[in-house]
Amino acid sequence: MPEHVLITGGAGFIGTRLARRFVEDGHTVTVLDALIPQVHGEDPRTTSPLLRSLDGVATVIEGTVTSTDDLRAALSGATVVVHLAAETGTGQSMYEIDRYVETNVGGTAKLLELLANEDTAVTRLVIASSRSIYGEGAYLTADGRKVYPSHRADADMAAGDFEVHVAGEGTLTLIPTDESAKLHPSSVYGITKQMQESLIMTVAPTIGIEPVSLRYQNVYGPGQSLKNPYTGILSIFSTLIRQGKDINIFEDGLESRDFVYIDDVVESTFRAATLPAAAGQTINVGSGVATTVNEVVATLFAAFGTEVQTHVSGNYRLGDIRHNVADTTALREILGYTPRVAFADGVREFVQWVLTEPVEGDSYQRSLDEMAARNLLK
């Protein structure tokens, strides 16, 4: 049956593509989005290509999940909710704590309170959770035991030791992190995402709504914000390459992330919202492949066909994790989906799009200065 889908935060990078995917399948879409300048620019109604891409696709309500009235208006007629709205950015979350908690936790609480206390047609609620809730993720000891290392110590990283450690153990081996892993986020952002997920997975079943939690890994691709300096290493490095500026590679360049292409994320989310088998499930959405920062830089250089100077500086940010790679078994078995886009192919598509966009200003350096002033960047 056709659904009426509400996508909170739906004018963003993921939401706009997801809206089109639902409409292509015959569903109706409403988008609620605050259109914040950090993502959309100062005059989004005229300058945001993401917002313009929703023309004729979805009903767009400019509003915030921190407003009960805005949420109530957006929920009118909705049968499925995909909750993407959130403040994002590990580093910024460590000093804009109130804003992150108010939007991510408070907004989710307001959404659930409306669903719990007012008559709505909502039957399924999908939350965009995050790999950040795992903290440092899963490793094996030398004798094959699975462990979940605590956050890295400032003193160790200051001495150039960026690896994770567990007291009494030797060298640890990174393994994919599955959905049963220990949850111990190392940033305010991660804490808020864990709380979002916990609220929805706890409350929704008690009010007759099927919850689904999707733990997104590092999403990238065309449409990713080039204005927001707090998220998206690919966007940040691409802007520096286009400006001809040096790239400062933090730590030793061997830190890694699981990069998953936007089309794979959209299809996974669409299935989570529509397939009966997804009800009540928690699912990693990632590629299942760990890619180092050094590999990211080399892949970008190849895609742009040019290089800039790089410096492996040993700088580091408090709250960052060392490695990240998802176990994607549940994605394959529950949603019947295997990510299709290899990193090199996805980066080529991303760079082709970047080259059609204006070169953004140097907001990245300003963001680093903000962190350094608060002793979060070393």
Side-chain angles (χ1 to χ4, degrees), residues 51-130:
L51 182 59
R52 291 199 303 270
S53 74
L54 292 173
D55 290 348
V57 174
T59 299
V60 178
I61 298 173
E62 184 174 356
T64 172
V65 292
T66 61
S67 165
T68 299
D69 289 340
D70 291 347
L71 279 168
R72 182 181 290 112
L75 280 168
S76 178
T79 57
V80 172
V81 177
V82 180
H83 188 34
L84 302 180
E87 298 290 351
T88 61
T90 297
Q92 189 182 42
S93 78
M94 300 295 283
Y95 55 91
E96 295 202 16
I97 300 160
D98 183 62
R99 182 163 70 95
Y100 274 71
V101 172
E102 179 185 15
T103 301
N104 298 2
V105 182
T108 302
K110 282 183 168 60
L111 173 62
L112 287 168
E113 186 157 322
L114 276 174
L115 292 173
N117 293 290
E118 300 188 6
D119 289 334
T120 74
V122 175
T123 59
R124 181 165 294 192
L125 174 54
V126 180
I127 174 63
S129 187
S130 168

Side-chain angles (χ1 to χ4, degrees), residues 159-212:
D161 179 5
F162 300 111
E163 296 299 335
V164 297
H165 299 286
V166 172
E169 304 292 347
T171 301
L172 302 175
T173 301
L174 177 71
I175 60 171
T177 302
D178 66 25
E179 293 83 356
S180 67
K182 178 180 178 181
L183 305 183
H184 59 147
S186 59
S187 67
V188 172
Y189 171 70
I191 291 168
T192 66
K193 298 306 287 185
Q194 182 182 357
M195 293 180 72
Q196 275 190 311
E197 177 182 306
S198 297
L199 284 167
I200 285 173
M201 299 305 285
T202 300
V203 174
T206 72
I207 55 177
I209 295 175
E210 299 170 339
V212 187

Side-chain angles (χ1 to χ4, degrees), residues 316-376:
Y316 59 93
R317 298 187 307 180
L318 298 181
D320 273 356
I321 62 167
R322 177 61 170 169
H323 296 299
N324 167 65
V325 61
D327 184 317
T328 58
T329 302
L331 178 63
R332 183 174 62 254
E333 293 183 350
I334 297 171
L335 298 186
Y337 190 71
T338 299
R340 299 168 184 168
V341 181
F343 184 63
D345 295 334
V347 169
R348 278 195 296 272
E349 292 292 325
F350 172 70
V351 167
Q352 287 175 13
W353 168 76
V354 167
L355 291 171
T356 69
E357 296 295 304
V359 179
E360 294 297 333
D362 196 15
S363 57
Y364 176 55
Q365 185 57 52
R366 185 172 66 252
S367 73
L368 296 182
D369 292 343
E370 287 178 4
M371 294 196 68
R374 293 164 174 84
N375 207 33
L376 294 169

Side-chain angles (χ1 to χ4, degrees), residues 276-298:
Q281 301 292 330
T282 299
I283 303 168
N284 287 332
V285 178
S287 67
V289 177
T291 302
T292 68
V293 173
N294 286 338
E295 290 169 337
V296 168
V297 172

Side-chain angles (χ1 to χ4, degrees), residues 180-335:
S180 67
K182 178 180 178 181
L183 305 183
H184 59 147
S186 59
S187 67
V188 172
Y189 171 70
I191 291 168
T192 66
K193 298 306 287 185
Q194 182 182 357
M195 293 180 72
Q196 275 190 311
E197 177 182 306
S198 297
L199 284 167
I200 285 173
M201 299 305 285
T202 300
V203 174
T206 72
I207 55 177
I209 295 175
E210 299 170 339
V212 187
S213 177
L214 299 180
R215 293 174 179 169
Y216 290 164
Q217 309 300 303
N218 288 65
V219 187
Y220 75 100
Q224 188 168 5
S225 177
L226 300 174
K227 297 179 176 67
N228 188 350
Y230 302 99
T231 59
I233 186 175
L234 286 164
S235 293
I236 291 167
F237 285 177
S238 292
T239 297
L240 292 173
I241 291 168
R242 296 185 74 193
Q243 292 173 335
K245 294 183 177 180
D246 294 1
I247 293 176
N248 177 8
I249 298 174
F250 289 178
E251 301 188 16
D252 55 7
L254 300 179
E255 62 274 27
S256 67
R257 298 292 183 268
D258 183 331
F259 292 94
V260 57
Y261 191 68
I262 180 62
D263 290 354
D264 289 324
V265 172
V266 166
E267 184 60 27
S268 299
T269 307
F270 174 79
R271 294 183 182 212
T274 57
L275 294 180
Q281 301 292 330
T282 299
I283 303 168
N284 287 332
V285 178
S287 67
V289 177
T291 302
T292 68
V293 173
N294 286 338
E295 290 169 337
V296 168
V297 172
T299 306
L300 281 171
F301 285 168
F304 275 107
T306 190
E307 299 185 8
V308 297
Q309 289 293 316
T310 61
H311 307 279
V312 180
S313 64
N315 292 141
Y316 59 93
R317 298 187 307 180
L318 298 181
D320 273 356
I321 62 167
R322 177 61 170 169
H323 296 299
N324 167 65
V325 61
D327 184 317
T328 58
T329 302
L331 178 63
R332 183 174 62 254
E333 293 183 350
I334 297 171
L335 298 186

Side-chain angles (χ1 to χ4, degrees), residues 4-39:
H4 182 160
V5 184
L6 167 62
I7 307 175
T8 70
F13 166 48
I14 299 171
T16 49
R17 288 203 178 204
L18 182 60
R20 293 196 294 274
R21 177 68 178 90
F22 278 116
V23 170
E24 287 167 2
D25 203 56
H27 305 290
T28 300
V29 176
T30 296
V31 161
L32 175 67
D33 201 292
L35 302 178
I36 63 172
Q38 185 169 300
V39 175

